Amino acid sequence: MKFPSLVSFFFVLLLASRSGGAEPVSVNSLVLKALATHPELRYYEAQIDVARGGKTKAGEIKNPDMMVGVGNWHLRDLATTQVSDGPTWAVQLTQTFDWPGRLSLRKAIAQKDIELAQLGFAQFRAALAGRVRTIAWKLLAAQEQTRAAEEVAKRFQSLASVLLQRDPAGAAPRLEARIIQASALTLGAEATLARNELAAARFELNQLLGEKAEHPLELRMEDLVLNPPPALEFLLAEARRKNFALRARFIDVEQQGYHVELAKNERWPSITVQPYMQKQTTLTRETQVGIGVSIPLPLWNRNKGAIDAAKAREVQAEVMLTAQMRQLERDVAAQASHYRIHTEELAKWPADTLESFRKAAAEADEHYRLGALPLATYTELQRQYIASVKAVLTSQLGAVDARLQLEQLTGGSLAE
């Protein structure tokens, strides 16, 4: 089910209200610009580099320690009391090796940090694109609402100025003139409010694009096609597979599992190997070469506290995953319902709803000036024109917002 005609008219009218002489741009071009220039993107890119550096660090082997010593070797023969002296020196290398499997576990944990950083980057890009689209559609709606409010306000202002200049005779014409003047003031305030909303949307959108708040911005006419959402089961399946927050929870559970395995591995101590060489020269020349191995005995410390803490954090991660899954299902169901309700409401309206109200308002103005239409009918038609524009915009923006929320939750596009 599609509603291109009604929405196309909504955007065709935007061409009549371009402000500041800015060159109109498309919503997609704004999204691409934001994704290329938004400063916070560099933060997430740097976070990926930090995680990659952490993996490199996790895979590094500890550097060996070298000990060099020099001294004097004093030798006394107890039988002859002969004394001899000579230089002595020693060299020793100490290299510590982790227990087998420990290094790979640390690298696996660091790899999950990289995946989380990459997921955070992708999530921010998707959220930024969604935010730009939301504000862009609000800007388009604000442009149309401003145009309609200003159009009706100018009619009343023009009519009020003409009637007051005529100095109408009698109470009824004079009171009618005052009613029109009061309506002009009220509608002028509504037009001002609409312009303020338009400016606020433009300011926020410029900020997302890295532009100055007062930068002129005009959006190009676009056809907005709102298709009913797919079946709820399909949306839930897509959300379970692609949702950024849920995928992050899955990675967290996997990472906590690696932490448990690492804590168990750390029950076994590191092994230290010490090759050495020692040489001294007196009456004789002595050289000693050997290798030593040092390994702590795991008698008193079996790393039980760290293992229990890692298991508890794994349980917490699993519980948070379950809670995230339930929250995701609720959010998907709610947004799908909102989107379906708005699209069903839009489907009830004829394709020329706004056009018919616009023509009726213009026709009422013409007939009232000719005296062929009572004031009550004229005023009601003008106000209903503005009310109909607001009603259509509210439903359209509600549908757009719900669709964008669904796209964020399911990690995909529902535009087609």
Side-chain angles (χ1 to χ4, degrees):
M1 185 184 301
K2 299 184 178 181
F3 320 101
S5 299
L6 179 61
V7 184
S8 295
F9 167 72
F10 159 40
F11 291 112
V12 167
L13 292 179
L14 296 178
L15 296 178
S17 61
R18 294 179 182 174
S19 60
E23 183 68 22
V25 295
S26 66
V27 175
N28 285 335
S29 67
L30 294 183
V31 172
L32 294 176
K33 181 177 180 180
L35 293 178
T37 62
H38 199 280
E40 288 187 37
L41 286 169
R42 292 194 292 272
Y43 169 84
Y44 289 94
E45 292 171 348
Q47 189 64 31
I48 295 176
D49 294 335
V50 170
R52 287 173 176 165
K55 184 178 180 181
T56 301
K57 181 66 176 178
E60 293 176 350
I61 299 175
K62 185 178 180 181
N63 290 324
D65 296 325
M66 183 177 70
M67 186 277 291
V68 177
V70 297
N72 183 64
W73 188 265
H74 183 78
L75 181 64
R76 177 186 294 275
D77 191 325
L78 296 179
T80 63
T81 67
Q82 183 179 359
V83 176
S84 63
D85 293 282
T88 180
W89 57 268
V91 177
Q92 175 180 293
L93 290 176
T94 302
Q95 178 67 61
T96 300
F97 297 95
D98 285 322
W99 194 264
R102 189 172 304 170
L103 189 64
S104 61
L105 286 171
R106 288 173 179 166
K107 291 174 67 176
I109 292 173
Q111 176 61 36
K112 293 304 174 183
D113 286 334
I114 294 177
E115 293 177 13
L116 285 172
Q118 292 172 336
L119 194 61
F121 177 69
Q123 183 176 15
F124 180 78
R125 283 177 57 87
L128 177 61
R131 184 59 181 167
V132 170
R133 292 184 186 280
T134 298
I135 301 302
W137 291 118
K138 286 183 178 180
L139 180 60
L140 287 170
Q143 289 178 180
E144 166 58 13
Q145 188 171 337
T146 300
R147 190 209 63 78
E150 289 180 343
E151 178 185 354
V152 175
K154 288 179 180 178
R155 284 176 184 161
F156 274 95
Q157 290 169 359
S158 174
L159 189 59
S161 62
V162 171
L163 293 178
L164 292 175
Q165 288 176 0
R166 292 178 180 176
D167 190 19
R174 187 168 58 255
L175 292 177
E176 282 191 4
R178 292 303 178 186
I179 292 175
I180 292 176
Q181 186 181 29
S183 298
L185 292 174
T186 303
L187 293 171
E190 291 188 16
T192 299
L193 180 60
R195 286 194 299 270
N196 288 334
E197 293 177 354
L198 175 61
R202 184 179 290 113
F203 293 158
E204 184 174 359
L205 193 54
N206 277 330
Q207 186 180 46
L208 291 174
L209 299 174
E211 300 284 356
K212 294 182 179 180
E214 65 275 11
H215 179 75
L217 180 63
E218 186 72 26
L219 295 186
R220 183 184 305 164
M221 175 196 68
E222 294 188 18
D223 288 339
L224 177 62
V225 179
L226 299 173
N227 299 316
L232 181 58
E233 287 304 319
F234 172 80
L235 293 174
L236 291 175
E238 287 293 290
R240 296 187 190 104
R241 187 167 61 93
K242 297 180 181 179
N243 180 262
F244 292 109
L246 190 64
R247 288 163 61 190
R249 290 298 180 188
F250 276 116
I251 293 175
D252 185 38
V253 171
E254 294 176 358
Q255 190 177 52
Q256 293 304 324
Y258 287 131
H259 277 291
V260 172
E261 295 301 318
L262 179 60
K264 292 179 179 179
N265 183 280
E266 289 176 343
R267 292 178 298 179
W268 308 105
S270 300
I271 302 172
T272 303
V273 179
Q274 298 171 317
Y276 65 92
M277 178 179 180
Q278 183 175 355
K279 190 172 185 178
Q280 58 265 354
T281 303
T282 54
L283 294 176
T284 61
R285 180 177 295 169
E286 298 180 31
T287 301
Q288 184 180 9
V289 178
I291 185 170
V293 178
S294 173
I295 177 170
L297 297 178
L299 298 179
W300 325 122
N301 182 6
R302 300 286 291 176
N303 208 35
K304 185 176 184 304
I307 294 174
D308 292 343
K311 288 182 177 179
R313 285 192 290 268
E314 184 181 27
V315 171
Q316 288 178 326
E318 292 172 349
V319 172
M320 293 302 296
L321 173 61
T322 302
Q324 184 73 42
M325 182 78 75
R326 293 176 178 175
Q327 181 65 47
L328 177 61
E329 291 175 351
R330 289 196 299 270
D331 292 342
V332 170
Q335 294 300 329
S337 176
H338 294 165
Y339 185 41
R340 181 176 292 105
I341 290 173
H342 283 300
T343 54
E344 290 176 352
E345 180 65 21
L346 288 171
K348 298 176 182 178
W349 300 343
D352 60 346
T353 297
L354 291 182
E355 176 66 15
S356 62
F357 273 105
R358 187 186 69 81
K359 290 181 177 179
E363 183 180 0
D365 182 70
E366 179 182 354
H367 282 73
Y368 180 76
R369 291 174 183 270
L370 296 175
L373 194 69
L375 176 63
T377 303
Y378 172 72
T379 304
E380 184 65 18
L381 278 173
Q382 302 301 322
R383 292 189 176 277
Q384 287 302 320
Y385 170 46
I386 295 179
S388 66
V389 170
K390 289 183 178 180
V392 171
L393 293 178
T394 299
S395 293
Q396 288 173 346
L397 290 178
V400 168
D401 184 66
R403 188 183 74 182
L404 291 174
Q405 291 291 337
L406 271 179
E407 291 178 348
Q408 291 290 314
L409 293 170
T410 60
S413 175
L414 302 180
E416 299 299 330

